[in-house]
Amino acid sequence: MASYFLYNIANLVVAQSENDKPLRGKRQGELETIPDAYILIKGGLIEAFGRKETLLTPPREYTPMDMKQSLVMPAFVDPHTHLVFAGTRENEFTMRLQGTSYLDILSKGYGIHQTVQQTESASFDELLHLAQNRLIDLERYGTVGVEIKSGYGLKPAVELKLLRVIRELKKNTPHPISTTFLAAHALPMEFKNKREDYIRQVLEETIPEVAKEGLADFIDVFCEKDVFSMDECERILLKGASLGLRPKLHTDEFYSIGGIPLAARVEAVSVDHMITATDEDLQSLQGKDTVAVILPGTSFSIPHTKRDYARKIIEANIPLAIGTDFNPGTCMCYSQQMMMELSVLLYSLTINEAINAITVNASFAAGLHNSTGMMKEGYRADLISMRVREVNEIAYHWGINKIQRIFLSGVKVEFEA
Ligand code: NIG
Ligand code: FE
């Protein structure tokens, strides 16, 4: 494996955790950058970095690479994706933009249920191929580490199929990937009048099988009015946790129904959406390491939704990460770059807060913080360079793909821009 000497870096972003914890409050807004920097990459890892003049002997055995006065930083981590599905739902998207509610569409058997049908009829190989291509698309916009959820199976056998697709994807790619079993995404139509039977199936059949096969790192639920109640979610998350699956939640996308205090009680790794979080909800997360994941792309499909929640999370001293929520219903966008820009342009984050959110804190929310998402010696050399010179230019020059080069575990990815 080649060793590289990256030089002529206009600015190097040194995003790092503190005391091995996600960044929060004032610290989330602090970001060191090194002007005129270099990086040494060896064995796929970051060996050293710093200001160019501190490098005494230019290393001979390293292949030099001119970074052409670009901005270099850890590659993005996406802590929330639904990457494995078949079909699309553009009709529903248009209806929602015209005012039909997401939850109404779901309760009538469309929405998630449509993707469930299309996913069930797709073969293992088709789903793998779709997911593989999507992973490459994510990467082109700067994302290397990814959390991937199941959730479009609902039935035990189909959920297991989706988790096995993710396992196969992991085998075939050098991307760091964590896997989430989304155990309660929607009540299957055939269980409409048999809620408890479905919960029992999840608790007694699906979760034990997922754990036995070691198919997931995390367990997730959609804790939302008219979807799954706080009590149902608690039972599911606790069962998963008892078998080694660490909890995550989709909650407060539309209503606050106790999902955030539940996240605090079960010491969730992350609590995602958070749009309708109340002050008391935010209070319940005090002192926890649970990361709040905001999903700005999803808010586009919920017209007139709130925009002040991201700032409230930071001001409540809760670590904040950004994800795409890439899925066929609410966010068909896999660009973390775009999410970072939206966070600054619409959700009042500073660019420093957004960069820490999409690297360091995203790596914690994805459970990948020991290997990627930070500028640290010994970490995987998952790096990107962008066609800007400094961080303030990122959201200023928004809406275009600024990725110039990508290093995936120290290997330069060849792609045509
Ligand atoms: O995170 N909110 C629940 N799940 C997904 C959307 C799933 C879908 O509509 O297909 C989300 O937004
Ligand atoms: Fe989601």
Side-chain angles (χ1 to χ4, degrees):
M1 182 179 261
S3 302
Y4 289 106
F5 166 45
L6 274 46
Y7 69 99
N8 199 17
I9 296 171
N11 277 291
L12 174 63
V13 175
V14 189
Q16 286 187 349
S17 59
E18 201 166 75
N19 304 324
D20 232 0
K21 296 212 182 237
L23 306 171
R24 62 185 83 213
K26 191 167 160 289
R27 178 64 182 85
Q28 174 139 18
E30 294 168 0
L31 188 67
E32 187 195 348
T33 53
I34 303 177
D36 199 14
Y38 76 91
I39 305 174
L40 297 181
I41 297 176
K42 191 175 182 185
L45 306 177
I46 299 168
E47 188 186 30
F49 60 87
R51 241 186 139 104
K52 195 172 134 245
E53 59 263 27
T54 61
L55 186 66
L56 297 176
T57 22
R60 283 234 176 116
E61 66 280 24
Y62 292 72
T63 309
M65 198 170 288
D66 183 353
M67 299 307 281
K68 302 182 178 161
Q69 283 293 299
S70 58
L71 178 76
V72 176
M73 67 168 90
F76 308 138
V77 174
D78 194 337
H80 186 135
T81 78
H82 304 251
L83 213 66
V84 190
F85 62 86
T88 54
R89 301 199 334 245
E90 55 281 353
N91 294 345
E92 173 198 326
F93 174 74
T94 309
M95 277 165 64
R96 273 208 315 277
L97 290 180
Q98 289 165 355
T100 313
S101 105
Y102 178 85
L103 292 174
D104 276 355
I105 293 172
L106 181 62
S107 69
K108 295 198 171 84
Y110 302 104
I112 292 174
H113 299 289
Q114 273 188 325
T115 303
V116 166
Q117 268 175 19
Q118 286 169 302
T119 303
E120 185 169 0
S121 42
S123 71
F124 184 94
D125 288 345
E126 276 163 354
L127 291 168
L128 180 62
H129 183 70
L130 284 166
Q132 256 158 353
N133 286 341
R134 290 174 187 143
L135 197 60
I136 293 169
D137 284 333
L138 252 80
E139 182 197 272
R140 295 295 183 267
Y141 288 87
T143 299
V144 167
V146 190
E147 180 261 14
I148 307 179
K149 299 176 198 298
S150 67
Y152 290 114
L154 308 186
K155 293 179 185 149
V158 191
E159 282 299 319
L160 291 167
K161 174 170 93 170
L162 301 186
L163 291 168
R164 291 183 191 123
V165 166
I166 303 171
R167 180 172 64 189
E168 194 59 25
L169 186 64
K170 269 176 89 158
K171 273 193 222 152
N172 300 346
T173 170
H175 290 75
I177 291 174
S178 57
T179 310
T180 300
F181 168 39
L182 178 41
H185 199 189
L187 185 72
M189 294 312 279
E190 60 275 23
F191 282 89
K192 203 158 183 187
N193 299 313
K194 298 183 285 180
R195 280 192 86 77
E196 190 50 32
D197 289 357
Y198 183 64
I199 305 283
R200 214 173 307 124
Q201 185 181 72
V202 171
L203 291 173
E204 291 170 15
E205 257 184 71
T206 332
I207 297 176
E209 190 53 39
V210 170
K212 192 171 118 211
E213 267 193 63
L215 284 168
D217 306 294
F218 304 118
I219 183 158
D220 198 346
V221 291
F222 188 11
C223 182
E224 187 60 63
K225 181 170 170 275
D226 301 333
V227 187
F228 289 101
S229 71
M230 187 191 70
D231 287 341
E232 290 165 344
C233 291
E234 183 152 18
R235 288 162 67 199
I236 290 169
L237 293 177
L238 288 177
K239 174 74 185 191
S242 76
L243 296 174
L245 304 172
R246 298 175 61 210
K248 278 177 165 274
L249 292 91
H250 284 72
T251 195
D252 289 61
E253 185 175 356
F254 303 100
Y255 296 94
S256 167
I257 63 157
I260 298 172
L262 170 60
R265 281 202 297 285
V266 298
E267 309 261 333
V269 177
S270 76
V271 53
D272 304 29
H273 285 301
M274 302 276 292
I275 299 172
T276 53
T278 63
D279 291 346
E280 296 75 54
D281 287 330
L282 297 179
Q283 198 54 39
S284 70
L285 287 173
Q286 292 306 311
K288 305 282 176 188
D289 290 330
T290 303
V291 180
V293 180
I294 64 159
L295 306 164
T298 299
S299 306
F300 271 156
S301 64
I302 314 169
H304 318 301
T305 194
K306 296 189 190 199
R307 288 209 183 139
D308 58 350
Y309 61 101
R311 275 256 61 83
K312 284 188 177 170
I313 293 168
I314 302 244
E315 275 148 27
N317 218 32
I318 297 164
L320 178 146
I322 300 170
T324 60
D325 197 13
F326 179 68
N327 77 80
T330 57
C331 187
M332 200 59 178
C333 174
Y334 34 59
S335 167
Q336 274 286 63
Q337 217 177 139
M338 181 65 96
M339 299 309 147
M340 176 169 58
E341 291 161 16
L342 291 179
S343 301
V344 172
L345 294 167
L346 295 179
Y347 298 90
S348 314
L349 294 192
T350 65
I351 187 64
N352 286 356
E353 288 166 342
I355 291 174
N356 281 324
I358 213 168
T359 55
V360 179
N361 285 1
S363 75
F364 278 92
L368 299 170
H369 53 284
N370 289 325
S371 62
T372 195
M374 296 185 218
M375 197 63 213
K376 259 189 180 171
E377 281 139 15
Y379 266 51
R380 285 171 53 115
D382 295 331
L383 303 169
I384 50 173
S385 71
M386 297 178 91
R387 274 174 235 279
V388 291
R389 287 174 47 87
E390 54 150 308
V391 294
N392 286 327
E393 276 181 71
I394 295 175
Y396 166 67
H397 200 169
W398 60 279
I400 57 154
N401 190 0
K402 292 174 279 289
I403 300 299
Q404 188 172 41
R405 286 193 185 137
I406 303 162
F407 292 87
L408 182 50
S409 197
V411 177
K412 186 169 161 281
V413 178
E414 295 303 331
F415 65 94
E416 283 183 37

